[in-house]
Amino acid sequence: MSGPVHCIVDDGIALVTIDNPPVNVTSQAVRQGLVRALDKAEAAGVARVVLTGAGKTFIAGADAREFAAPPAAPHLPDIIRRIEDFPVPVVAAINGTALGGGLEVALACRARIAAPAATLGLPEVTLGVVPGAGGTQRLPRLIGLGPALSLIGEGRVIGAGEAQCLGLVDTVAADPVTLARTFSIPSRPATGALPAPPPDPEAVGAARKQAARRSPGQIAPLKAIDLVDASTRLPLDEGLVVERETFLALKTSDQAAALRHVFFAERAAMAQGKGGGAEISSAVVVGGGTMGASIAYALAGLGISVALVESDAAGVERARANVARLYADAVKRGKTTAEAAEAEQATRLSFHEGYGALPPADFAIEAVFEDMEVKRQVFAALDAALPESAVLATNTSFLDVNQFGEGVRRPERFLGLHFFSPAHVMKLLEVIRARTTSAETLATALRLAARLKKIPILAGVCDGFIGNRILTRYRQTCDIMLMEGALPAQVDTALRGFGMAMGPYEVQDLSGLDIAYANRKRLGWRTKEGFRYIPIADRIVEETGRLGRKTGAGWYDYDGGKASPSALIDQIVGEESARAGIARRTFSDEEIVTRAISSMIEEGFRILEEGIAARAADIDLVMIHGYAFPRWRGGPMHYAGRIGLPEILRRIEAFAAEDPLSWGIPELLRHAAREGLGPDDLKGQA
């Protein structure tokens, strides 16, 4: 049998193999192949059907690319019902990943045998939908309401061992296909014929609270919980109808479109690290503070030998303590054992005062404070101490990467790697291409990013690169709204309501007002021509010494760590409005959100226009993974596309008419709106 599904009949057994690389998704061709395979098995009068997948995957779920199109026959729920009602037992030999529709197919089988490395789950909520082929109705009947609420509501993926403990699979075997041929079929009814689980309002309530905490603003998790709860009351056929209706309604929603966009953008970004570049086995990290220690810890965890450099003995001891804390935390969280942590520190990490005795290394990254001259001195020292083949990288957040590479031997091996804090946790990595960076150096950096399981985003050189450049513009827009009538707490509340994890003033209090203050001084905002300078934040730092949570006061007052609006800050805001001759007015939450997000979008178009980013989706990934833009809105550029670029253009034109110093219309936006293009149609222009 040709096509993505093969059926071999031998000795009274039909072996049906799904072979649709790379991950055996249930595309229309696969569904058609399954129908033909079941027809062949039934016509041959076999005694058993063994269903498995080729390669390392059983079935990794539906083809998400089909979600935007109307459903096409044959439909997966119909195939699953046929498997469940098949005249002879169908046994799932789960050789690898069984997710979404793949697990729903396995649930319909009379027995499930998993390979030890198999993973199973119904993660549809992470794509903005719910299981649509019986998962919410069959799984609770098989494993109980509580475990099903957790797996489906959270989109959890589990291993074969946990699946066996839950009763999701019958056994685990090194060769599930061979065992499936002779496995004794359990005497229980088919999964759909099992009794409904008893109601448990407390478990459902707890699942709802968990979903609200983990996925604020998202619709699918709560809908999924409703469906699992319905399995306690509805007969199977009625539950399946409600489930399918819910799935079809959600799959064309804005949230599902946004989450699919992010899913494919992440896959494209992470694929950049596959193939090419040199393998890194040894590294130097300069700076043992929070960032440097975290980078060193992450590299050592890959098996890389890391030399951590500080400028004096006291700095070396602080670096040791910072790294030791990371290992102690990993032990506490069960990520490793005390013995393994001690061994890794002893064998993979060394600490050095200065550059005199550094071992040869493939790669070096500096993580010292943001001072151009200090960083240039670091690279001069690294250039002299290391082989000229070593890749040299800066972790600067804002500064001109091109300047650091000046004077370095073989400047083509120089680039920026902007990690986000904490570097061993945050998935985002901005890979900054300097003027001299070679393709081979970029490939090596991307290969390292893949080993670190980072999402690497290529960026050109400008102040702040992609993420911090947009953040700076966003904060400036919010500060202008303070001058015109808003207050910090209102701005934060409005943007949290939009889905941001924190508002801009809450974030500044967390990171420290001195950081943004230093950046404003560096950029010369106070005296910059053609720029609308807002003095509120500078006054707070200079006159009050309030630097945020670390000083117990910032944009907010803090009492025992609890934030409350500050009368002093509100007074300063009002004074600056009066000094500028501005009559304060009322802002609605909607207007605050529209202005703030529009400024992100405008800056995103300029970043594309200048070629700093290659794709609009890269901007979205930076803002989602680095700055907590709501994933379910798809990032600012995708969000702009859902609103419509003509409407975005209209809004920015209106803002520019009111405040031409702060707003302008990127030509790329004009072009896209005129030509009917969306953000995904646009590429970096440089």
Side-chain angles (χ1 to χ4, degrees):
M1 183 179 292
S2 61
V5 179
H6 314 301
C7 179
I8 299 173
V9 176
D10 179 44
D11 196 23
I13 295 174
L15 175 62
V16 178
T17 304
I18 297 169
D19 188 5
N20 183 31
V23 292
N24 292 346
V25 293
T26 55
S27 63
Q28 185 183 20
V30 167
R31 298 194 302 273
Q32 290 170 336
L34 281 171
V35 169
R36 289 193 294 268
L38 292 171
D39 288 345
K40 179 179 178 179
E42 190 166 3
V46 298
R48 173 174 297 198
V49 176
V50 175
L51 179 60
T52 193
K56 297 181 179 179
T57 307
F58 177 68
I59 304 170
D63 187 344
R65 291 170 297 186
E66 295 182 357
F67 279 18
H75 305 297
L76 189 60
D78 298 331
I79 296 170
I80 286 173
R81 175 53 69 91
R82 185 176 178 192
I83 289 171
E84 191 165 59
D85 296 341
F86 207 66
V88 298
V90 180
V91 180
I94 303 173
N95 55 302
T97 303
L99 299 178
L103 183 55
E104 288 175 306
V105 168
L107 284 170
C109 295
R110 293 301 302 275
R112 287 159 292 281
I113 303 166
T119 54
L120 305 92
L122 293 170
E124 283 88 345
V125 295
T126 64
L127 288 176
V129 294
V130 296
T136 66
Q137 303 305 297
R138 290 188 176 92
L139 187 66
R141 284 172 163 83
L142 182 65
I143 68 172
L145 185 69
L149 285 167
S150 173
L151 286 178
I152 296 174
E154 299 172 29
R156 281 204 308 126
V157 176
I158 61 175
E162 184 177 351
Q164 185 177 16
C165 291
L166 289 173
L168 179 52
V169 300
D170 296 290
T171 191
V172 176
D175 185 352
V177 172
T178 297
L179 180 57
R181 291 177 175 275
T182 58
F183 187 71
S184 179
I185 303 298
S187 59
R188 64 173 179 257
T191 307
L194 291 170
D200 189 343
E202 288 188 9
V204 172
R208 288 180 179 283
K209 289 180 181 178
Q210 175 80 339
R213 185 184 65 80
R214 288 172 55 93
S215 309
Q218 294 192 41
I219 299 168
L222 293 173
K223 292 287 188 182
I225 291 166
D226 287 345
L227 290 167
V228 175
D229 183 32
S231 73
T232 67
R233 302 184 303 276
L234 299 180
L236 179 71
D237 287 345
E238 291 182 28
L240 293 176
V241 169
V242 176
E243 179 195 72
R244 189 67 178 171
E245 289 173 348
T246 305
F247 167 78
L248 292 174
L250 288 176
K251 80 167 191 164
T252 56
S253 68
D254 282 349
Q255 290 195 6
L259 291 165
R260 286 196 303 275
H261 164 74
V262 176
F263 172 76
F264 286 117
E266 288 171 342
R267 286 178 60 181
M270 296 180 80
Q272 297 175 107
K274 296 179 180 177
E279 186 80 340
I280 299 298
S281 61
S282 55
V284 170
V285 177
V286 181
T290 300
M291 178 61 79
S294 185
I295 293 171
Y297 169 81
L299 295 173
L302 299 177
I304 294 172
S305 298
V306 181
L308 205 159
V309 179
E310 265 291 354
S311 58
D312 54 31
V316 168
E317 291 310 306
R318 285 193 298 272
R320 285 185 191 275
N322 287 338
V323 171
R325 274 194 292 272
L326 293 172
Y327 279 101
D329 183 59
V331 172
K332 183 178 179 181
R333 290 184 292 114
K335 300 291 185 182
T336 188
T337 65
E339 294 76 17
E342 185 177 347
E344 188 169 297
Q345 290 177 83
T347 58
R348 296 183 188 163
L349 284 155
S350 60
F351 297 83
H352 302 262
E353 181 183 346
Y355 304 86
L358 287 182
D362 306 319
F363 168 87
I365 183 165
E366 66 77 19
V368 302
F369 56 91
E370 293 284 79
D371 182 279
M372 178 71 74
E373 189 54 39
V374 171
K375 289 180 183 286
R376 294 186 71 164
Q377 291 172 9
V378 166
F379 285 111
L382 287 172
D383 191 31
L386 297 178
E388 65 176 26
S389 59
V391 172
L392 302 179
T394 174
N395 183 54
T396 183
S397 302
F398 288 96
L399 302 179
D400 186 346
V401 171
N402 288 322
Q403 293 190 39
F404 298 143
E406 294 174 359
V408 170
R409 293 173 298 165
R410 295 189 56 229
E412 66 271 18
R413 64 200 170 106
F414 188 86
L415 80 164
L417 289 180
H418 179 210
F419 287 83
F420 286 71
S421 186
H424 64 292
V425 174
M426 295 287 281
K427 295 185 71 175
L428 180 64
L429 178 65
E430 285 183 313
V431 179
I432 315 302
R433 182 194 299 105
R435 191 163 39 237
T436 57
T437 305
S438 69
E440 177 67 15
T441 297
L442 279 178
T444 297
L446 292 169
R447 183 169 179 171
L448 178 61
R451 288 177 66 190
L452 288 165
K453 294 183 170 56
K454 301 293 186 188
I455 295 173
I457 302 298
L458 289 173
V461 177
C462 67
D463 198 279
F465 316 123
I466 297 173
N468 278 330
R469 175 170 164 176
I470 291 176
L471 179 68
T472 299
R473 173 65 194 284
Y474 164 69
R475 287 178 171 176
Q476 167 73 356
T477 300
C478 292
D479 286 353
I480 290 171
M481 287 190 282
L482 295 190
M483 285 287 283
E484 294 179 349
L487 290 172
Q490 183 193 5
V491 172
D492 285 345
T493 298
L495 287 158
R496 281 200 313 275
F498 174 76
M500 301 294 289
M502 299 175 72
Y505 301 106
E506 294 169 312
V507 172
Q508 287 183 63
D509 271 4
L510 187 64
S511 60
L513 273 66
D514 49 330
I515 295 174
Y517 175 74
N519 196 47
R520 289 190 296 274
K521 286 187 66 178
R522 179 180 65 81
L523 294 171
W525 278 12
R526 197 185 300 260
T527 57
K528 187 176 179 180
E529 291 187 10
F531 178 78
R532 190 174 177 186
Y533 169 65
I534 306 298
I536 296 169
D538 286 350
R539 275 194 63 188
I540 294 170
V541 173
E542 293 168 354
E543 297 178 16
T544 73
R546 297 163 65 108
L547 301 181
R549 285 184 176 272
K550 61 188 174 185
T551 60
W555 288 99
Y556 292 88
D557 294 333
Y558 293 93
D559 182 6
K562 184 178 180 181
S564 59
S566 168
L568 175 60
I569 299 303
D570 291 353
Q571 178 185 331
I572 291 173
V573 168
E575 288 173 356
E576 287 305 320
S577 297
R579 184 177 299 176
I582 295 172
R584 293 179 64 79
R585 66 178 180 84
T586 300
F587 277 80
S588 68
D589 286 359
E590 181 182 8
E591 183 178 1
I592 289 170
V593 168
T594 298
R595 283 180 177 258
I597 304 306
S598 294
S599 70
M600 287 187 179
I601 294 166
E602 185 200 317
E603 202 66 31
F605 270 96
R606 295 195 186 284
I607 285 168
L608 277 177
E609 202 168 60
E610 297 167 22
I612 300 302
R615 300 173 301 181
D618 288 344
I619 297 171
D620 289 334
L621 291 180
V622 169
M623 298 313 296
I624 288 166
H625 287 285
Y627 303 88
F629 194 96
R631 183 183 182 92
W632 51 272
R633 291 196 186 272
M637 305 304 284
H638 175 84
Y639 179 69
R642 296 299 285 189
I643 291 174
L645 296 190
E647 170 61 17
I648 295 295
L649 176 61
R650 186 199 65 75
R651 292 177 184 182
I652 293 177
E653 284 176 336
F655 296 148
E658 294 176 7
D659 183 1
L661 283 181
S662 305
W663 296 87
I665 298 90
E667 285 305 314
L668 186 61
L669 173 59
R670 287 191 194 275
H671 168 75
R674 183 174 60 247
E675 299 298 325
L677 303 176
D680 290 342
D681 300 316
L682 307 175
K683 305 295 181 186
Q685 300 296 293

